[in-house]
Amino acid sequence: MADPPSFRRHPLPFSIDLVRWLPSSASSGRLLAAAVHDPSVPASSRLSLLPLHDPASPLASLPLPSRPTALRCSPSVLAAATSSGSLHLLPSSFDTDSAVSVPGGAGFHVGPVRGLDCGGEGWVTAGEDGRVHVVSDGGDGRVVARRVWDGKGMSGYGAARWASSAEFATGGAGCGVQWWDRRKGDAVVAQCKGVWGRGVATGMVHSIDIHPSRKHVCVVGGSSGTIFAWDLRWAQQPIPLSGVGLDETAQPLCESEVWEVLFDNYTQSSDIISSVSTRILPVMLCSEDGILAIVEQDEWPLALLAEPCAINSFDIDPQNPSDVVCALEWESIGVLTRGSDAMAEE
């Protein structure tokens, strides 16, 4: 019988909006990248490198011009986007002297950049201003931002995710989820309005994840507790996941915003036979009403945490997928360990 999960809180002297695991080694110990701000101090937004054994003592920080709105880590590069529309890139080793940025403004994004991901030709960004860019290496320490789309404010984006070297998905308000193919003239080749409760035709998409071994399947988290999957093979039939019961009636796991969703490769599917083909694999989520849980197609959800505050973001450690780090609204980081009584932090 598996050991029950353990949960450890680390109180902090600052607030954390977003948190990600960084590649670790025996020499560096386990490290986190966190988007940090102090509401009581003007111009205090920064990207910080935190040691897991003592996250209240940052090892290094990179000042940001405004509050961070998106954070993503590739094996070699860490990227943060901000509410003023800027993008900041630095090595995952956190060498701040090598950081480069794209300033917000008319030539890039005006306002918050919510969607950010690495893959394909570089970084894809999607903003509330309705613009989509691909940012790539321009040589000589420069980066080049190429505009893919400008919605001119008619719709706003809240999430973006690469699926392959040429395809990515975006989602937001008023546009549902869109699938782009750069081989076809940077065009939207498929679109899904989603499955939204309370008679709503479309809602706000906050997060998208695409399974690494199933590039045609994405999972979406959004407003009013909505979680659904979209399989491009059946593009007009999104699959509701938010608390789906055995009678196929979608019951909301939470009533508030679902801030982040990730496929959970640690949790084994309840149906091994069908999991190799059409079944949507387990998905982890966090929400504004303090829920961290796992949902699976046609199964009742498994709640891992029910906090008295919002869980702003979470990340599953790719090197140790039993470990999950969470950014809690009340100035703390939480670390959940599944299947073990203790976790090696150093």
Side-chain angles (χ1 to χ4, degrees):
M1 183 175 180
D3 296 325
S6 64
F7 184 63
R8 184 179 305 165
R9 286 182 184 82
H10 297 271
L12 302 173
F14 40 75
S15 295
I16 302 251
D17 286 324
L18 302 158
V19 64
R20 299 286 181 259
W21 292 99
L22 287 174
S24 62
S25 65
S27 59
S28 66
R30 303 185 73 185
L31 301 172
L32 302 170
V36 172
H37 78 283
D38 186 342
S40 64
V41 179
S44 64
S45 297
R46 60 194 184 275
L47 187 59
S48 292
L49 176 65
L50 309 179
L52 183 59
H53 70 274
D54 184 15
S57 302
L59 300 175
S61 291
L62 177 72
L64 298 174
S66 58
R67 191 163 177 172
T69 51
L71 179 63
R72 194 68 67 186
C73 182
S74 76
S76 59
V77 179
L78 182 65
T82 70
S83 60
S84 58
S86 61
L87 174 67
H88 305 265
L89 306 171
L90 73 160
S92 56
S93 61
F94 230 88
D95 178 8
T96 55
D97 292 335
S98 300
V100 296
S101 63
V102 182
F108 191 48
H109 287 283
V110 179
V113 178
R114 300 288 180 185
L116 174 65
D117 195 30
C118 178
E121 299 176 21
W123 295 86
V124 60
T125 65
E128 290 186 5
D129 56 2
R131 295 176 179 176
V132 178
H133 291 87
V134 171
V135 181
S136 56
D137 185 0
D140 299 325
R142 300 178 301 109
V143 290
V144 177
R146 178 168 143 358
R147 185 165 299 171
V148 175
W149 175 254
D150 188 350
K152 301 186 184 300
M154 298 300 292
S155 61
Y157 292 103
R161 200 73 158 177
W162 283 101
S164 70
S165 60
E167 299 166 288
F168 62 88
T170 59
C175 59
V177 185
Q178 298 173 326
W179 195 271
W180 303 73
D181 192 332
R182 307 206 67 206
R183 297 165 298 189
K184 299 180 180 180
D186 291 330
V188 174
V189 296
Q191 186 160 340
C192 174
K193 290 185 177 180
V195 181
W196 307 91
R198 301 174 180 171
V200 177
T202 184
M204 180 68 189
V205 173
H206 296 305
S207 179
I208 297 172
D209 194 24
I210 297 174
H211 197 277
S213 64
R214 300 184 183 184
K215 302 294 187 180
H216 55 278
V217 177
C218 66
V219 64
V220 178
S223 52
S224 301
T226 298
I227 307 143
F228 65 88
W230 184 34
D231 189 327
L232 287 178
R233 297 173 297 180
W234 300 281
Q236 302 306 313
Q237 299 177 351
I239 303 166
L241 296 178
S242 181
V244 177
L246 296 178
D247 61 355
E248 299 295 327
T249 301
Q251 301 294 332
L253 172 65
C254 58
E255 298 287 343
S256 66
E257 310 301 293
V258 174
W259 291 127
E260 205 146 30
V261 290
L262 288 174
F263 280 104
D264 180 18
N265 60 2
Y266 178 81
T267 299
Q268 185 174 336
S269 173
S270 62
D271 189 337
I272 299 299
I273 295 176
S274 65
S275 69
V276 300
S277 57
T278 61
R279 189 177 182 86
I280 304 302
L281 297 177
V283 174
M284 188 177 291
L285 67 107
C286 72
S287 71
E288 176 67 22
D289 50 6
I291 300 296
L292 182 75
I294 298 169
V295 294
E296 187 178 353
Q297 186 178 356
D298 300 333
E299 300 290 337
W300 293 108
L302 172 64
L304 300 174
L305 294 175
E307 292 295 295
C309 63
I311 300 178
N312 294 327
S313 78
F314 76 96
D315 195 25
I316 300 171
D317 188 349
Q319 294 176 283
N320 300 280
S322 61
D323 297 339
V324 182
V325 64
C326 308
L328 306 180
E329 182 77 15
W330 289 351
E331 298 187 347
S332 61
I333 278 179
V335 180
L336 181 81
T337 303
R338 299 175 284 174
S340 175
D341 290 330
M343 177 179 57
E345 294 189 351
E346 300 185 49

